[in-house]
Amino acid sequence: MSLTSVGSLSGVVIRRANPDDVDGIVAVNIECLPEHYPLRFWLDHIEKYGDAFYVAEAGGRIVGYVMPRVEYGLSKLRTSMRRLGHIVSIAVRRGFRRRGIATALMLASMESLKSEYGVREVYLEVRVSNEPAINLYRKLGFVIVERLHRYYLDGEDAYVMAKEL
Ligand code: ACO
Ligand code: ZN
């Protein structure tokens, strides 16, 4: 697994995740989102899609991550089957928000999904009330393609958002 730095935003390094990062990633996830996963799920994604799984590190601590996977399925944007990049989860620790970290994580992951995994379309689900995240995705060129009724455990709907790479 590469530890190469691919960018930095004033003391924050964006780099590929490796298995040693998993505790820090899970800590950020628990702090930031109600959707949690078993350790094995995180490790599987680092092992299988690690070239597109990025973390943001500041002062030796993980402060953000983006976890993608690669699927084969029906396009959200046209009527065909294709390889799809699925952004499963992204979060940035509160004190580090609004500095462009999520944008940098998404750009790095999408670039790698394209170059390393041959993905030409990326999609994700987001709570309909999650304005910060919806704004982030819109700014990156995602469009809302579908609304999923009661997608989340607490009954909230999701938007599916997608983007051609
Ligand atoms: N209110 C409105 N718009 C916002 C906000 C906000 N609080 N935060 C970000 N945005 C939009 C803005 O357009 C912003 O650009 P600007 O700062 O130039 O106006 C743009 O997103 C990019 O912001 P970044 O600084 O790159 O985003 P940040 O690093 O702050 O992280 C994130 C955004 C990941 C949504 C963060 O708020 C977070 O961790 N939230 C909790 C976890 C979460 O909701 N994750 C997404 C769930 S959906 C999924 O995982 C597929
Ligand atoms: Zn999903």
Side-chain angles (χ1 to χ4, degrees):
M1 201 64 55
S2 165
L3 283 169
T4 321
S5 159
V6 295
S8 76
L9 317 126
S10 59
V12 180
V13 174
I14 306 295
R15 61 163 176 81
R16 287 192 169 114
N18 68 75
D20 291 340
D21 296 321
V22 75
D23 291 340
I25 293 168
V26 167
V28 174
N29 171 256
I30 286 171
E31 179 187 308
C32 297
L33 280 167
E35 287 74 41
H36 306 139
Y37 313 96
L39 205 60
R40 190 66 248 166
F41 185 83
W42 296 97
L43 287 168
D44 276 349
H45 282 72
I46 294 174
E47 278 161 22
K48 290 185 190 144
Y49 314 110
D51 286 346
F53 192 142
Y54 283 85
V55 294
E57 193 178 60
R61 284 181 81 200
I62 305 293
V63 299
Y65 67 84
V66 58
M67 174 169 68
R69 57 188 292 141
V70 179
E71 301 166 356
Y72 185 74
L74 194 58
S75 168
K76 313 287 178 187
L77 296 165
R78 33 167 108 172
T79 51
S80 61
M81 299 288 284
R82 69 198 309 202
R83 197 175 297 191
L84 302 170
H86 180 176
I87 303 298
V88 178
S89 184
I90 178 171
V92 173
R93 191 160 256 158
R94 264 183 205 88
F96 291 85
R97 289 183 191 164
R98 226 52 199 269
R99 295 198 207 170
I101 293 177
T103 300
L105 288 167
M106 285 291 293
L107 288 173
S109 185
M110 292 191 295
E111 183 55 41
S112 294
L113 284 168
K114 191 172 177 180
S115 63
E116 308 296 321
Y117 299 96
V119 164
R120 289 290 175 276
E121 177 180 327
V122 63
Y123 81 97
L124 52 84
E125 300 92 13
V126 58
R127 286 176 182 269
V128 296
S129 66
N130 193 345
E131 226 176 288
I134 293 168
N135 286 343
L136 162 74
Y137 305 139
R138 276 196 210 281
K139 211 164 173 184
L140 289 165
F142 284 75
V143 293
I144 294 172
V145 291
E146 204 182 341
R147 183 173 179 136
L148 303 176
H149 184 63
R150 298 185 65 86
Y151 178 78
Y152 294 98
L153 279 177
D154 61 6
E156 186 168 351
D157 292 359
Y159 287 131
V160 178
M161 298 184 75
K163 174 188 157 67
E164 201 88 41
L165 291 183

